[in-house]
Amino acid sequence: MEKNKPCRTARRPGQTIPEAVEELLAKMTTAEKLGQMYQSIGADITTVGTTQVKEPVEELLRAGQIGSMMQVGEPHDLAKRIRHFQDIAVNESRLGIPLLFCLDVIHGFETIFPIPLAWSCCFDEELIRQAAATSAREAACCGINYIFSPMVDIPHDPRWGRVAETAGEDPWWGSRVSAALVKGMQEDGGVMACLKHYLGYAAAEAGRDYNTVEFSDSALHNTYLPPFAAGVKAGVKSVMTAFNVANGVPAVANRPLVEGVLRGELGFDGVVVSDYAAVMELMEHGVAEDEADAAEKALAATLDIEMTTNYFRRHGEALLNSGRITMEQVDAAVRRILTAKYELGVMDDPYRFLREEEIDSTVYTPEHLAQSRTLAARSAVLLKNDGVLPLAKDKKLALIGPFADSSDLFGCWCCSTRKAEVATLATGLREKGFDFTVEEGSGVQQPIEGGIERAVAAAKAADVAVLALGEDDQMSGEACSRMNITIPECQQALAEAVAVTGKPTVLVLTNGRPLLLNWYDEHMNAILEGWAPGSEGGRALADLLAGDEVPGGKLTMSFPWHTGQIPVYYNELPTGRPFVEGTDEHFQSKYLDGPNAPLYPFGYGLTYGRCVCGAVKMSGENLAPGETLTATVTVRNEGSLPARETVQLYLRDRCASLSRPVQELRGVKQVWLEPGQQAEVSFAIDEPMLRFYTARGVWASEAGGFDVMIGLDSRSAKQNKAGFTLTAGVQE
Ligand code: NOJ
């Protein structure tokens, strides 16, 4: 069909979306309705039982039996395939209902941005939003209009490989990032976003992916739900249910969670999609007897689309005939799907996302690469620096390690065909004009014969050794849980040998999760956490090493001191027997063989300047609803280089109906300070900021005392305290 030509589902002038949806619904057969609820893998296979079987996609499309389809590929090829399938759906099916085309565009389409855990560390919502918008625009001109992002799970366990896809451990910041990503994708990028994974997926027991999850009502509302609530408020059009059992019932069939909390409490009226084959997994979980039972249970929870299983389609009619499901349930789901399609604009113009002529000028452009480079530089976190950084250009370097000249910098989700073009660290340093030799020294997980010897010789011949170590793209992400969150042994052996040379050594890490870095903290002169930095990773890291960019990233997830501490996170609840440093009281909440505190806390990260945060000054002692208090600090750069700092406001509700976290992030402000420069940084505090989900099961603030903590990381903020009293609580 020709582009922009009105299609059969296009609205008549003046017709509203609800009117168009009802008109179409009235024309649909049961089979066509059930077909809308099926999301095909986009090839001639589907998930039946625990296996994938052949199915004739094109035939099903002609019969109006597929509502959406996953697709991936090289941009032009992808667009061609999408056009082909859309043509069949629009021209050859009875009603011509256009398809949605879906893809995991998690941190980039062809231009790859740093992983979400990385970009969350930049504490700049605008940059994050731009990355999402750019990714959506790149995908959209190839026909992709439904993106399975953002992931807004709140993780506490770095063994879980999918921490890489999250915005870290803080619900407040996670909520800000969630809204920024939804707006970037939907408002700026024009596609449909999808919050995932509803709910509690990150709380997998033992950090093992897909594992069971239990959470209290308080944890549900105060920890896991806020980023979903923020995404819903930002207008997200879709939510994906999680794989896991949540409080005894798999999320996809968890009626209280999906129908009750998501649709009821949060008022979400968009499309709920299952995760990949999760409806089938209801049988594995032991809550569904067979496929029909699984379909019935998922529909009862108000699931609208099943991803890659076709149980609604194949068993729906029988379930309807036997009264196990009702036409009202099916209609409600189809109504939501059709509404989303109208809102996206594909019902009026099925080809509005297929702009092949724009692909070359839109995808992987120099502007997008520049955005990615900036974001990667802003996302990196300087964990240690004794002054060796930035590197002086007249120093001879030995660049050592498996990531010295590796393009393995994309991270866990990458549909990009441009991996071979990634800027490696060696490329970045070379472009800066550094004089250096490169020695791989070790593989990522296996030693290289003679590698250590050659690396040591190179280090000895240089002024500074730069160790490029970490995890490759296969070591974090889905189904990539690790028991030992260490830098693999062969790389550690390499680092130890290089350290023995006594040469100043800088560790540049590229990886997808918090790692155990105690040994490195002791033995390295500097540590730069670069995460999986994306297409321009090597250049961005070189920018930082050379001092052309000033590091300013702050950790959004604690780096444990030992795996035995996990889960270790900054916003924990107080215990009745808090550990007090320096006391020898036995009955305290502590370990006999190590500290409670993580190695690097939430909010931590150095810059090239050295900032000092002054005492907190409050504008008053009491806060009444409707009023505002101001908390102010002076931040001064006492170093000899510029500083990019993120000043952080934490609050603590000292006494409430529920035990409240020892610290909760409630504000961030970024400052740039030249050497010797200082700035006053103020935060407004009002009553709505103090609300939480109380013991009475309502959102409210409660009168009483609050601590105000401001600092340059969560740990130092604890030592910089003031307070105020909320004179009266307010219930929402
Ligand atoms: C499984 C993952 O859990 C989910 O995040 C992703 O969107 C789907 N697969 C589709 O690829």
Side-chain angles (χ1 to χ4, degrees):
M1 199 179 97
E2 263 173 52
K3 208 173 152 183
N4 299 330
K5 206 166 150 194
C7 69
R8 284 176 287 158
T9 52
R11 278 173 295 161
R12 291 186 303 278
Q15 192 179 31
T16 64
I17 289 179
E19 286 164 358
V21 167
E22 291 312 316
E23 191 177 304
L24 184 54
L25 199 59
K27 290 187 206 154
M28 292 170 81
T29 62
T30 303
E32 283 163 343
K33 290 179 185 175
L34 296 167
Q36 285 300 309
M37 299 167 73
Y38 173 48
Q39 183 167 107
S40 152
I41 205 171
D44 285 341
I45 47 172
T46 190
T47 310
V48 173
T50 50
T51 49
Q52 294 201 318
V53 300
K54 282 259 177 214
E55 84 168 4
V57 168
E58 296 193 3
E59 222 172 90
L60 288 169
L61 280 177
R62 285 185 192 101
Q65 297 277 287
I66 297 177
S68 51
M69 191 181 259
M70 298 161 87
Q71 281 298 336
V72 64
E74 185 281 325
H76 289 279
D77 182 49
L78 175 65
K80 201 162 136 202
R81 239 177 308 125
I82 288 182
R83 183 171 285 280
H84 171 71
F85 287 128
Q86 194 71 306
D87 278 345
I88 300 178
V90 170
N91 299 325
E92 299 180 39
S93 73
R94 191 179 75 92
L95 295 170
I97 303 176
L99 295 166
L100 296 176
F101 292 95
C102 331
L103 183 61
D104 288 285
V105 180
I106 309 299
H107 50 107
F109 175 66
E110 282 288 274
T111 306
I112 297 296
F113 290 88
I115 51 170
L117 182 60
W119 73 32
S120 69
C121 296
C122 83
F123 278 99
D124 184 329
E125 283 147 278
E126 201 38 49
L127 279 184
I128 295 171
R129 178 173 175 160
Q130 279 169 17
T134 295
S135 310
R137 287 188 189 116
E138 285 197 0
C141 65
C142 303
I144 296 295
N145 46 30
Y146 182 7
I147 285 181
F148 297 140
S149 176
M151 195 227 248
V152 299
D153 301 316
I154 298 290
H156 291 146
D157 193 331
R159 294 173 298 180
W160 188 56
R162 299 196 78 172
V163 299
E165 298 172 60
T166 73
E169 70 197 30
D170 183 62
W172 177 82
W173 179 238
S175 302
R176 304 288 286 242
V177 174
S178 169
L181 290 170
V182 168
K183 288 179 188 161
M185 278 179 255
Q186 294 195 164
E187 288 175 22
D188 310 339
V191 303
M192 169 156 143
C194 178
L195 295 176
K196 64 189 191 183
H197 305 81
Y198 189 83
L199 187 76
Y201 183 39
E205 278 180 8
R208 181 157 47 80
D209 206 3
Y210 315 125
N211 206 4
T212 302
V213 166
E214 292 276 338
F215 42 78
S216 65
D217 204 33
S218 167
L220 182 157
H221 288 91
N222 289 313
T223 304
Y224 298 116
L225 204 55
F228 283 92
V232 169
K233 199 162 163 220
V236 80
K237 298 211 179 294
S238 176
V239 172
M240 186 187 296
T241 55
F243 283 125
N244 53 277
V245 167
N247 296 340
V249 180
V252 66
N254 195 317
R255 200 169 166 183
L257 270 185
V258 181
E259 189 187 32
V261 179
L262 178 65
R263 297 211 190 269
E265 277 183 42
L266 298 191
F268 176 68
D269 58 4
V271 172
V272 175
V273 62
S274 79
D275 204 339
Y276 198 104
V279 180
M280 177 276 288
E281 291 174 18
L282 290 174
M283 292 182 278
E284 291 289 330
H285 283 300
V287 299
E289 287 288 352
D290 51 27
E291 293 174 2
D293 196 20
E296 178 185 343
K297 292 196 160 116
L299 189 63
T302 71
L303 182 77
D304 300 318
I305 296 180
E306 48 174 338
M307 187 192 288
T308 79
T309 47
N310 55 16
Y311 303 171
F312 290 151
R313 206 188 79 214
R314 289 192 300 118
H315 304 288
E317 300 255 15
L319 287 169
L320 280 164
N321 292 338
S322 61
R324 286 168 67 185
I325 63 171
T326 65
M327 193 55 91
E328 285 71 39
Q329 286 176 293
V330 172
D331 282 350
V334 177
R335 205 172 269 127
R336 287 187 287 259
I337 297 165
L338 296 178
T339 301
K341 289 186 173 186
Y342 271 108
E343 285 176 354
L344 259 181
V346 290
M347 300 293 267
D348 296 322
D349 175 6
Y351 299 92
R352 68 179 291 243
F353 290 92
L354 274 163
R355 299 183 303 273
E356 289 91 337
E357 69 287 357
E358 288 177 22
I359 294 177
D360 292 333
S361 58
T362 307
V363 170
Y364 203 71
T365 63
E367 295 74 34
H368 294 177
L369 290 169
Q371 258 181 30
S372 172
R373 181 171 177 168
T374 303
L375 190 55
R378 297 287 298 279
S379 304
V381 184
L382 184 63
L383 298 175
K384 181 178 178 185
N385 186 17
D386 68 358
V388 66
L389 293 181
L391 293 169
K393 290 265 174 65
D394 58 357
K395 296 269 191 258
K396 184 166 167 37
L397 310 179
L399 177 59
I400 295 167
F403 297 96
D405 199 14
S406 164
S407 57
D408 217 324
L409 301 178
F410 270 180
C412 48
W413 271 113
C414 149
C415 45
S416 175
T417 56
R418 308 289 192 130
K419 189 156 181 168
E421 292 162 56
V422 83
T424 71
L425 184 53
T427 306
L429 290 174
R430 201 167 296 125
E431 288 174 2
K432 296 270 170 214
F434 278 105
D435 174 17
F436 66 100
T437 54
V438 178
E439 279 299 342
E440 201 177 346
S442 164
V444 177
Q445 307 224 48
Q446 295 299 328
I448 295 175
E449 223 187 299
I452 291 190
E453 291 71 17
R454 288 191 292 277
V456 166
K460 283 184 177 158
D463 301 314
V464 178
V466 176
L467 275 174
L469 310 182
E471 296 180 308
D472 64 25
D473 295 348
Q474 312 303 316
M475 290 172 74
S476 63
E478 189 173 344
C480 292
S481 297
R482 295 181 66 201
M483 286 187 189
N484 296 313
I485 52 165
T486 49
I487 295 177
E489 256 176 53
C490 55
Q491 298 186 52
Q492 166 88 26
L494 174 66
E496 286 174 10
V498 170
V500 168
T501 65
K503 291 288 167 147
T505 305
V506 176
L507 171 63
V508 178
L509 278 170
T510 47
N511 53 292
R513 56 152 64 72
L515 295 169
L516 287 184
L517 297 175
N518 303 26
W519 182 88
Y520 297 87
D521 187 62
E522 255 177 61
H523 293 90
M524 297 291 112
N525 297 82
I527 304 177
L528 181 63
E529 171 56 89
W531 306 111
S535 298
E536 289 287 283
R539 290 196 181 97
L541 294 171
D543 287 338
L544 291 163
L545 294 175
D548 296 336
E549 282 272 6
V550 174
K554 299 279 187 180
L555 295 180
T556 55
M557 205 172 169
S558 309
F559 274 46
W561 188 88
H562 192 284
T563 35
Q565 296 175 318
I566 295 172
V568 58
Y569 50 95
Y570 89 96
N571 48 355
E572 61 185 4
L573 298 186
T575 73
R577 297 184 171 189
F579 174 68
V580 184
E581 193 84 52
T583 55
D584 54 8
E585 167 59 44
H586 181 68
F587 294 100
Q588 291 187 347
S589 180
K590 64 176 190 312
Y591 296 101
L592 295 177
D593 50 357
N596 285 1
L599 177 64
Y600 303 124
F602 177 87
Y604 174 79
L606 305 173
T607 180
Y608 282 154
R610 194 173 48 79
C611 288
V612 177
C613 181
V616 183
K617 285 176 265 156
M618 297 297 298
S619 60
E621 286 175 6
N622 295 313
L623 175 67
E627 290 178 355
T628 302
L629 279 181
T630 308
T632 306
V633 292
T634 301
V635 181
R636 183 175 164 76
N637 181 1
E638 297 189 348
S640 54
L641 291 170
R644 186 191 291 288
E645 264 302 351
T646 300
V647 189
Q648 304 158 34
L649 167 77
Y650 296 88
L651 299 179
R652 176 177 180 177
D653 193 341
R654 280 189 223 129
C655 179
S657 59
L658 283 175
S659 189
R660 302 291 297 132
V662 294
Q663 279 181 298
E664 286 185 290
L665 186 68
R666 281 292 179 269
V668 288
K669 290 258 167 90
Q670 302 201 309
V671 287
W672 173 273
L673 295 173
E674 293 295 334
Q677 200 185 350
Q678 67 178 42
E680 287 231 314
V681 179
S682 294
F683 293 93
I685 301 173
D686 59 12
E687 176 279 324
M689 284 166 74
L690 311 176
R691 294 182 191 169
F692 67 104
Y693 191 77
T694 70
R696 289 175 296 131
V698 293
W699 287 93
S701 57
E702 294 177 344
F706 286 79
D707 289 336
V708 177
M709 295 160 264
I710 302 182
L712 306 178
D713 63 73
S714 59
R715 188 181 291 167
S716 67
K718 262 192 197 164
Q719 313 306 323
N720 194 25
K721 235 196 287 196
F724 68 89
T725 300
L726 176 67
T727 55
V730 174
Q731 187 179 319
E732 278 182 9

